Structures are given as structure tokens and as C-alpha cells.
Amino acid sequence: MQGLFIALEGPDGAGKSTQIQLLQEYLEKKGYEIIVTREPGGTVISEAVRQIILNKEYREMSEKTELLLYAAARAQLVEEIIRPALKAGKAVICDRFLESSVVYQGIARGLGVDTVYAVNDFALEGLRPQLTILLDLDAEEGLRRKKNQAELDRMEAEGLEFHQRVAEGYRFLADREKERIMRISATLPKEEIHAKIVLAIEERILNRYQI
Ligand code: TYD
């Protein structure tokens, strides 16, 4: 079996976890061995970096430091988990990946899309998911969904304007890279979203393997 690498993206509160679970069940039925992982995190070291990044006490963290820490967590995850899994023919589903940095650090923080790609090219050596799924949601709705949860982390605690730049940033990227990024409205019923994801994976990846 050929490895399969799918990333799910979207603003805070878009419902990625539910879709990841449905996708995992679908790919298991297809016979894949699955690795589900998340960013920042997924390895002992990357989870330790996550604790630093999301710690609300660290208000003084510079934007550059933030970008580099996300990239560091990602480099470790790729080397330790993702590359070996893909090599072994497994399916990797990642809750957030490169596009999160492009949107949150590159666009919402304003560090620039090209800067984010450059830093991450060093970290990833060109690795990209075969398909990135964007669960598209307005910032207001995302924050409303999150507010029902316990405590907000350092990123979630950013204001509405920041999260509006995130939502807009995702749309900009998805429009620019239609082949690589598929945009689905997160307000659709979960079964409908899942059906669209399955269709995209079959049309764009699995059917092509069989040719
Ligand atoms: P997490 O709780 O995993 O997000 P969610 O549950 O909303 O998916 O927290 C990760 C936070 O880090 C989230 O606010 C998005 C942000 N982030 C970045 O800013 N850049 C990145 O490269 C990644 C991976 C996440």
C-alpha cells in the first residue's frame, strides 16, 4: 500500500476532531493502518514545545519565536512519526499542518507567507500532505463554539480581529491552491462534510493510485 497523508485545517472550533474520527474509520475500512496526530504535538518533544507555545503566561513571546517553535515541533513530528509511517505505507491524518503556520503566523501575525514557507522548507524538506482539507468557518462562529469550552489557550485568547484574519487567510490560500487545498463549509451537517472529504480523497488520490 502507498502511504497517504491528509491534513485537516480550519479556524479554532471548526470541528476537525469529529471529521478526523470519521475519516479514520473510513480509511481503516479501506485497509489502511492509520496514524492520527496533531500539531503542535504528536511526539514527546513536540508536545513539550506545544506547552511552551500555548502557555498563556508567555505574553511576551515574539512572533518570530512563535513561528520557529511551531516549525521545530513540526520538524520533530515529521522525522519521528510522519516520514516513517508514509514509508511503511500507512495513512497519516494530521490535525493541522503547514497551512496553519502559513495562515496564523504568515497572514494573521503578518510575518509573510513566503517567510513561513522558507522556514518550513528547512524543517520539512519539501514534505506536503497529498490533500489538505479546510473546514471553513467564520471567526465569530468559531469563537462562539470555543467559548463553551473550559480555558482558552494563548492563541485562542487572541481577539476577534486576529481570528477574522485567520479565517480570511485560509480562504485566500484555498482559493490560490485549489489542487492542494479543499474548502468545505464547517456549518454543513457532519455526515455531509465527511461525504465530501471521502469523495475528494477517492477522486484526487486513491483512484489515481489504481491507474
Ligand atoms: P489546538 O488546541 O491544537 O487547536 P484546535 O483545537 O483549535 O485545532 O491549538 C493549536 C493552536 O495553535 C491553534 O490556535 C492554532 C495555532 N497554530 C498556529 O498558530 N500555527 C501552527 O503552525 C499550528 C500548527 C497551530
Side-chain angles (χ1 to χ4, degrees):
M1 235 165 183
Q2 284 200 44
L4 184 64
F5 184 15
I6 311 285
L8 269 91
E9 293 279 357
D12 298 320
K16 294 188 293 297
S17 315
T18 308
Q19 290 305 322
I20 286 171
Q21 206 181 331
L22 293 171
L23 182 56
Q24 177 174 5
E25 287 161 16
Y26 160 77
L27 288 173
E28 265 163 8
K29 283 196 199 116
K30 284 255 161 197
Y32 276 100
E33 217 179 299
I34 320 275
I35 304 280
V36 176
T37 189
R38 70 163 180 183
E39 276 228 277
T43 73
V44 172
I45 293 170
S46 311
E47 290 289 337
V49 175
R50 177 188 177 92
Q51 296 305 317
I52 300 172
I53 300 176
L54 298 181
N55 190 333
K56 262 172 85 173
E57 306 286 306
Y58 297 157
R59 284 177 200 281
E60 71 276 29
M61 186 181 293
S62 88
E63 294 172 346
K64 286 181 182 147
T65 304
E66 186 181 285
L67 169 63
L68 290 166
L69 286 174
Y70 278 115
R74 184 167 299 131
Q76 185 65 32
L77 177 67
V78 164
E79 238 176 89
E80 197 180 319
I81 307 282
I82 297 181
R83 274 198 202 279
L86 294 175
K87 217 169 156 197
K90 296 178 186 172
V92 177
I93 308 172
C94 200
D95 184 344
R96 299 188 178 280
F97 197 65
L98 173 61
E99 262 60 45
S100 279
S101 279
V102 177
V103 169
Y104 282 79
Q105 281 67 54
I107 297 174
R109 292 279 192 232
L111 288 172
V113 167
D114 292 344
T115 304
V116 175
Y117 279 124
V119 167
N120 277 274
D121 277 345
F122 172 68
L124 304 181
E125 297 175 11
L127 180 72
R128 296 279 186 277
Q130 281 140 307
L131 180 65
T132 294
I133 292 148
L134 165 62
L135 296 180
D136 182 30
L137 191 68
D138 284 335
E140 291 85 350
E141 175 62 12
L143 286 178
R144 200 183 58 73
R145 292 186 187 186
K146 274 276 168 179
K147 280 214 175 96
N148 298 330
Q149 293 182 11
E151 231 200 300
L152 299 180
D153 64 38
R154 198 176 59 85
M155 301 302 285
E156 287 160 359
E158 287 288 341
L160 177 62
E161 242 176 70
F162 178 83
H163 289 281
Q164 278 167 338
R165 287 200 294 278
V166 168
E168 279 310 310
Y170 271 126
R171 288 170 187 159
F172 165 78
L173 270 197
D175 284 349
R176 201 180 72 164
E177 304 200 39
K178 290 198 173 68
E179 264 300 298
R180 241 171 30 80
I181 306 175
M182 189 202 181
R183 172 175 162 183
I184 304 175
S185 169
T187 60
L188 292 171
K190 68 177 187 202
E191 296 78 14
E192 211 172 305
I193 297 175
H194 176 61
K196 282 180 189 285
I197 292 175
V198 165
L199 191 66
I201 291 175
E202 292 190 346
E203 279 182 357
R204 296 184 191 206
I205 308 170
L206 298 183
N207 291 347
R208 291 187 193 175
Y209 280 172
Q210 284 155 15
I211 294 169

